[in-house]
C-alpha cells in the first residue's frame, strides 16, 4: 500500500513512524482497477498477466479459460491467489501472506506466475460497527485518539478458471483491545482502527479446497 502511515501506542512504542511503505497486502504487480489479461491471439485462451488481473474473479465471477482446471479430487496442493477488499470503492488488491501464515505453496508468492493459480481466495470486509472503545495513540509525537470497529467479513474460495464458487462463509471479528500500532493507506481515516480477519481465522476453512 502506498503512502502508508504507522501510529504507535502511547507509552508502548513511544514514537510513530510516518511515511513508511508497507510491502504487505499487494504484490505490486499490477495497477488497481484495470485488467491487462493477455493472450497472444484471439483464439488463445485468456490468462492473467498479473496477479491483480484476478480481481475480476472476486468482483464479477469471471474466470480465465487459460488457467489450469481445478479438480478437488486430486490430493495435491491447488495454488491459490489471495485477494482482499475493504469493501470500499478501491476494489480488490492482490496480496501475499506473510511467511508462516500458511503452509508453503498454498498461495502464490511474489515470484510465482499468475497462470499457476487454480483458485482465488476472496476476503472482503462487508460491515464495520463502532465498539465505543477509544485508544490513546501517538502520531508524530502528538496524542491521537483512535476509534475501534468490529467487522463482518465474507470469505470465498473461487475457481480461477471458471469463476465458480467452491465455498463461502460469513464471520465476525470482535475485540475490545487497543492495537500496538496501525497502518493506514492514503485516503483512509487515520483515527479509525478496524478489527480484521487474520490468517488463523480462515486457515482451516480454505484447507479442504487448497490442500485436500
Amino acid at each position: 500500500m502506498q503512502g502508508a502511515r504507522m501510529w504507535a501506542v502511547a507509552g508502548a512504542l513511544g514514537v510513530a513512524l510516518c511515511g513508511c511503505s508497507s510491502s504487505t497486502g499487494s504484490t505490486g504487480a499490477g495497477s488497481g482497477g484495470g485488467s491487462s489479461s493477455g493472450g497472444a491471439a484471439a483464439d488463445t485462451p485468456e490468462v492473467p498477466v498479473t496477479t491483480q488481473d484476478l480481481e475480476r474473479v472476486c468482483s464479477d465471477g469471471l474466470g480465465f479459460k487459460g488457467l489450469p482446471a481445478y479438480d478437488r479430487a486430486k490430493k495435491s496442493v491447488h495454488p491459490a491467489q489471495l485477494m482482499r477488499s475493504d469493501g470500499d470503492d478501491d476494489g480488490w488488491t492482490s496480496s501475499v501472506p506473510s511467511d508462516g501464515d500458511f503452509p508453503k505453496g498454498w498461495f502464490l508468492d511474489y515470484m510465482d506466475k499468475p497462470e499457476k493459480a487454480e483458485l482465488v481466495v476472496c476476503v472482503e470486509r462487508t460491515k464495520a460497527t463502532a465498539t465505543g472503545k477509544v485508544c490513546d495513540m501517538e502520531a508524530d509525537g502528538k496524542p491521537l485518539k483512535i476509534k475501534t470497529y468490529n467487522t463482518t467479513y465474507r470469505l470465498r474460495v473461487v475457481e480461477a478458471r471458471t469463476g465458480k464458487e467452491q465455498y463461502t462463509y460469513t464471520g465476525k471479528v470482535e475485540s475490545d483491545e487497543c492495537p500496538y500500532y496501525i497502518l493506514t493507506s492514503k485516503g483512509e481515516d487515520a483515527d479509525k482502527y478496524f478489527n480484521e480477519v487474520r490468517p488463523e481465522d480462515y486457515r482451516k476453512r480454505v484447507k479442504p479446497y487448497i490442500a485436500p
Side-chain angles (χ1 to χ4, degrees), residues 157-175:
V157 179
V158 188
E159 289 185 29
R161 187 171 187 265
T162 65
K164 179 181 178 181
E165 287 190 11
Q166 290 288 314
Y167 175 77
T168 184
Y169 172 80
T170 299
K172 294 183 178 180
V173 185
E174 300 178 335
S175 176

Side-chain angles (χ1 to χ4, degrees), residues 5 16 25 63 69 72 78 82 94 96-97 116 134 139-140 144-145 176-177 181-182 184 206:
R5 294 169 293 178
R72 188 180 174 188
H78 302 279
L82 179 62
S94 61
V96 174
K116 289 179 58 179
V134 178
D140 298 325
L144 178 67
K145 292 188 178 297
D176 59 0
E177 297 183 1
Y181 64 87
I182 64 174
T184 60
V206 301

Side-chain angles (χ1 to χ4, degrees), residues 5 7 144-149 182 184 188-193:
R5 294 169 293 178
W7 307 139
L144 178 67
K145 292 188 178 297
I146 301 293
K147 294 172 286 186
T148 66
Y149 291 78
I182 64 174
T184 60
E188 288 185 335
D189 293 329
D191 63 346
K192 295 180 180 180
Y193 173 75

Side-chain angles (χ1 to χ4, degrees), residues 4-189:
R5 294 169 293 178
M6 180 182 289
W7 307 139
V9 170
L13 298 183
V15 183
L17 303 178
C18 300
C20 58
S21 295
S22 172
S23 60
T24 60
S26 175
T27 63
S31 58
S35 174
S36 56
S37 53
D43 58 349
T44 301
E46 188 180 21
V47 297
V49 175
T50 71
T51 55
Q52 187 60 38
D53 291 338
L54 290 163
E55 67 176 340
R56 80 182 201 186
V57 179
C58 293
S59 62
D60 301 314
L62 296 176
F64 292 84
K65 293 183 178 179
L67 292 179
Y70 172 68
D71 184 359
R72 188 180 174 188
K74 291 184 178 180
K75 302 302 179 181
S76 60
V77 173
H78 302 279
Q81 174 61 44
L82 179 62
M83 303 294 295
R84 304 186 67 95
S85 172
D86 292 334
D88 51 28
D89 294 335
D90 290 336
W92 295 84
T93 302
S94 61
S95 179
V96 174
S98 300
D99 290 343
D101 283 346
F102 297 93
K104 188 175 179 60
W106 280 26
F107 288 96
L108 298 190
D109 205 341
Y110 293 107
M111 301 304 294
D112 291 326
K113 296 181 179 180
E115 57 262 34
K116 289 179 58 179
E118 294 185 26
L119 297 169
V120 180
V121 174
C122 312
V123 181
E124 177 185 16
R125 183 202 302 161
T126 58
K127 185 179 179 180
T129 305
T131 65
K133 179 83 171 182
V134 178
C135 303
D136 291 319
M137 312 282 283
E138 287 184 357
D140 298 325
K142 298 179 181 179
L144 178 67
K145 292 188 178 297
I146 301 293
K147 294 172 286 186
T148 66
Y149 291 78
N150 290 326
T151 59
T152 300
Y153 69 93
R154 182 170 61 151
L155 168 70
R156 290 178 291 151
V157 179
V158 188
E159 289 185 29
R161 187 171 187 265
T162 65
K164 179 181 178 181
E165 287 190 11
Q166 290 288 314
Y167 175 77
T168 184
Y169 172 80
T170 299
K172 294 183 178 180
V173 185
E174 300 178 335
S175 176
D176 59 0
E177 297 183 1
C178 290
Y180 284 105
Y181 64 87
I182 64 174
L183 291 172
T184 60
S185 298
K186 183 177 180 181
E188 288 185 335
D189 293 329

